[in-house]
Amino acid sequence: MLATVYSGAVYGVDAYPVEIEVNAGHGDPQTVIVGLPDAAVKESKDRVRTAIGNSGFKAHVGRITVNLAPADIKKEGPIFDLPIALGMLRASDEIDCNGLERFAVVGELALSGEVRRVRGVLPIAMAARAAGRQGIIVPADNAEEAAVVEGLAVYPVRTLRQAADFVAGVRQQQPFRADLKSIYESVGEHDDDYADVKGQEHARRALEVAVAGGHNVLMIGPPGAGKTMLAKRIPSILPRLQLEEALEASKIHSIAGTLGVRRALIERRPFRAPHHTISDAGLLGGGAHPMPGEVSLAHHGVLFLDELPEFHRNVLEVLRQPLEDGRVTIARAAASVTFPCRFMLVAAMNPCPCGYYGDAKRECRCNDRQIQSYRNKISGPLLDRIDIHVEVPAIRYQELTSLERGESSAAIRERVAAGREIQGRRFQAHRRLHNNAGMGPRQLQQYCRLDGEAQELLRMAMTELHFSARAYDRIIKVARTIADLAGAERIGPDHVSEAVQYRTLDRQLWA
């Protein structure tokens, strides 16, 4: 007898429907899976047969053929265990279910018959809704994730027996529902707050400008100056995730398996801080079956690279395309996969290998050659793609022991939100442009007009400080953000002056 069960699989950040055909016939007792299965899918025949027996069903005695369509796309992982098992039970007349085509089914099976959580349920649920399925049967630990998709009934199951009884009509079950409004309202304030930071007003101001305009930022200063502390508090002043952004970020984390058990959405902007020993594949994504890397996991959030020169040179160089395009393409012989990666890059570094070059109180132990070699680990093209370079000096004793608290993250976030609102109105006609950092040459000419005094100041800075052409664009973008925070229509000399200060560590000045 032939049975058909519908499922789905992930390709890149999206999913496509998979039709599982199971035929139970006569012949030698064996199970054959066709349709370009990988090793994990091929092994499912043993897991499924054992789970069927341990769930109280009789395994079919004879040949079973399982076809995964479309047959020209490679199938990966244990996600097809549950639909294959239900197909086997239906094909061997162990269960009677006429409405199985209404559902999509995903889940991994334990040998006991327990249904385990799988990756990629959110994009598969979206694909199931697009394919016209009325509901989806998922592991209980993936229920919240799938229930985010509106217009699709979600039925969580914990065992194969429970799933079989449900599709056979023996057991009635109400669909699981998630209240997105309550999920958003339950998000509280961040534990880390800028009120806890002592001193560093200049660095705090630079980070406020960076967040308001979506600019990349590099902090440079001695050990213990508070660079990491400042970076970890950036999410507390970022604007809240919109629903569309949350869904995009959640899809990526669902595919990577980092969404977490019983978690419906990424409610806060991601903050990713990979170790400096990470490989280029770990940062960009890759593998035999391409998976998203850290740059994609930071989508709509922050990617923090501490001790920037300690990263391998080839790892830093691969950041150049994602920073420019907001997406990363991983090419393989069979196909290529594109992952989105629009993030704010925040980096921190010491001024020299020992960390005390230019410190007034501690002597630097590095010679000129060591200092230059250390700084040359960051290429000029990469440095040009970082809009803001800010010095973070050592904290003075008076600031460290002061009982006065700094400005709170909530107050800074209000100014950031006001600046972002101005940019949102400005870029209404530009579908993919949301902040000043993303402006191209045409938008720079249209929205970044400088008065005569500001133009002369910028000309002097370019001539005297030997900035590159890309640095020129960055200065204007940052000046536009500073003007937005001040509520100014035109960019004035004070805005340009502050923006120039944030390029004092440009590569021409490091020689």
Side-chain angles (χ1 to χ4, degrees):
M1 182 177 179
L2 177 66
T4 302
V5 184
Y6 296 94
S7 185
V10 174
Y11 184 80
V13 292
D14 296 313
Y16 61 93
V18 174
E19 185 175 330
I20 301 174
E21 299 172 313
V22 181
N23 185 77
H26 302 288
D28 296 333
Q30 62 174 326
T31 302
V32 178
I33 300 178
V34 296
L36 287 183
D38 71 349
V41 179
K42 289 179 180 178
E43 292 172 353
S44 67
K45 60 185 179 182
D46 298 315
R47 288 193 300 271
V48 168
R49 276 190 170 275
T50 306
I52 286 175
N54 289 333
S55 299
F57 296 105
K58 292 181 180 179
H60 175 72
V61 180
R63 181 184 177 88
I64 293 180
T65 304
V66 179
N67 179 45
L68 307 177
D72 59 342
I73 302 178
K74 194 170 185 64
K75 316 303 185 305
E76 309 163 5
I79 196 169
F80 305 113
D81 286 4
L82 182 58
I84 289 176
L86 292 178
M88 285 185 177
L89 293 175
R90 178 71 184 94
S92 58
D93 286 330
E94 281 293 300
I95 59 174
D96 182 16
C97 49
N98 296 320
L100 194 54
E101 68 279 356
R102 296 185 291 114
F103 304 101
V105 186
V106 294
E108 177 185 349
L109 284 177
L111 298 183
S112 62
E114 178 188 358
V115 181
R116 293 173 173 166
R117 70 187 301 265
V118 292
R119 298 183 302 185
V121 167
L122 179 55
I124 290 174
M126 293 179 175
R129 180 184 62 181
R133 306 292 162 221
Q134 298 178 14
I136 183 170
I137 300 172
V138 300
D141 289 338
N142 291 116
E144 287 84 354
E145 179 183 347
V148 170
V149 182
E150 296 180 351
L152 184 72
V154 177
Y155 298 95
V157 293
R158 294 193 175 277
T159 64
L160 174 59
R161 168 61 74 172
Q162 181 182 350
D165 288 346
F166 170 69
V167 297
V170 176
R171 183 177 184 272
Q172 297 298 319
Q173 183 171 336
Q174 294 299 318
F176 181 88
R177 303 185 185 281
D179 188 351
L180 290 182
K181 183 178 180 181
S182 65
I183 292 173
Y184 272 93
E185 290 177 350
S186 65
V187 179
E189 290 292 328
H190 289 262
D191 295 332
D192 296 325
D193 196 288
Y194 274 114
D196 303 324
V197 178
K198 303 290 186 180
Q200 304 295 9
E201 284 80 9
H202 179 63
R204 287 156 58 116
R205 167 63 178 175
L207 293 177
E208 178 183 337
V209 173
V211 171
H215 303 287
N216 303 318
V217 59
L218 169 64
M219 295 181 286
I220 182 168
K227 303 185 294 296
T228 303
M229 186 178 187
L230 287 164
K232 288 184 176 180
R233 281 157 176 75
I234 288 177
S236 68
I237 63 174
L238 282 168
R240 193 172 185 181
L241 269 176
Q242 300 300 315
L243 179 59
E244 183 179 351
E245 294 176 326
L247 286 172
E248 289 181 8
S250 299
K251 282 173 63 177
I252 297 172
H253 284 260
S254 174
I255 294 165
T258 59
L259 190 57
V261 179
R262 295 192 173 280
R263 189 176 181 186
L265 278 177
I266 297 291
E267 306 94 352
R268 290 176 173 170
R269 296 190 180 272
F271 181 87
R272 305 293 298 185
H275 193 260
H276 63 259
T277 57
I278 192 172
S279 66
D280 53 356
L283 192 65
L284 285 191
H289 310 301
M291 296 292 291
E294 290 292 335
V295 295
S296 296
L297 294 174
H299 187 52
H300 291 315
V302 176
L303 177 67
F304 177 48
L305 302 182
D306 201 3
E307 303 294 343
L308 187 65
E310 300 299 331
F311 285 79
H312 297 295
R313 178 70 176 259
N314 66 303
V315 173
L316 294 180
E317 290 306 302
V318 299
L319 278 174
R320 288 158 61 175
Q321 184 218 352
L323 287 173
E324 287 289 335
D325 301 337
R327 63 181 183 272
V328 57
T329 301
I330 302 169
R332 292 292 181 266
S336 62
V337 177
T338 299
F339 294 110
C341 56
R342 293 202 173 275
F343 57 90
M344 176 182 172
L345 175 65
V346 180
M349 62 176 288
N350 297 330
C352 66
C354 77
Y356 297 106
Y357 177 78
D359 195 293
K361 296 182 179 179
R362 301 191 63 169
E363 183 181 358
C364 176
R365 303 188 302 271
C366 309
N367 58 42
D368 292 344
R369 184 176 180 180
Q370 289 174 319
I371 296 173
Q372 194 61 40
S373 176
Y374 179 76
R375 293 175 171 178
N376 283 343
K377 292 181 179 180
I378 307 172
S379 69
L382 176 61
L383 198 62
D384 278 341
R385 286 168 171 80
I386 300 177
D387 299 353
I388 295 176
H389 311 154
V390 58
E391 293 182 85
V392 183
I395 304 175
R396 294 177 297 176
Y397 178 78
Q398 293 84 349
E399 295 173 331
L400 190 61
T401 56
S402 174
L403 297 179
E404 184 178 353
R405 288 174 61 84
E407 188 177 25
S408 69
S409 293
I412 300 174
R413 189 168 61 245
E414 287 183 8
R415 294 196 297 270
V416 168
R420 289 277 183 120
E421 186 177 349
I422 293 173
Q423 296 168 54
R425 293 195 298 267
R426 177 183 300 134
F427 302 130
Q428 285 183 53
H430 305 278
R431 181 180 177 185
R432 297 186 178 181
L433 185 58
H434 306 288
N435 52 46
N436 291 331
M439 286 190 294
R442 186 177 300 176
Q443 289 80 35
L444 285 175
Q445 293 181 359
Q446 183 177 358
Y447 301 117
C448 301
R449 297 178 181 176
L450 281 67
D451 59 30
E453 189 176 352
Q455 188 68 52
E456 178 62 20
L457 178 61
L458 184 55
R459 186 194 66 79
M460 292 176 57
M462 293 293 297
T463 303
E464 298 296 328
L465 300 179
H466 306 289
F467 288 133
S468 67
R470 185 177 277 115
Y472 172 82
D473 290 345
R474 305 293 177 183
I475 290 172
I476 294 181
K477 290 179 183 180
V478 172
R480 177 69 270 173
T481 301
I482 296 170
D484 290 341
L485 287 172
E489 182 67 26
R490 296 180 68 90
I491 300 175
D494 51 340
H495 307 138
V496 173
S497 176
E498 183 179 352
V500 169
Q501 292 182 37
Y502 299 142
R503 298 297 302 186
T504 53
L505 296 179
D506 205 350
R507 63 187 178 93
Q508 297 291 347
L509 302 178
W510 283 24

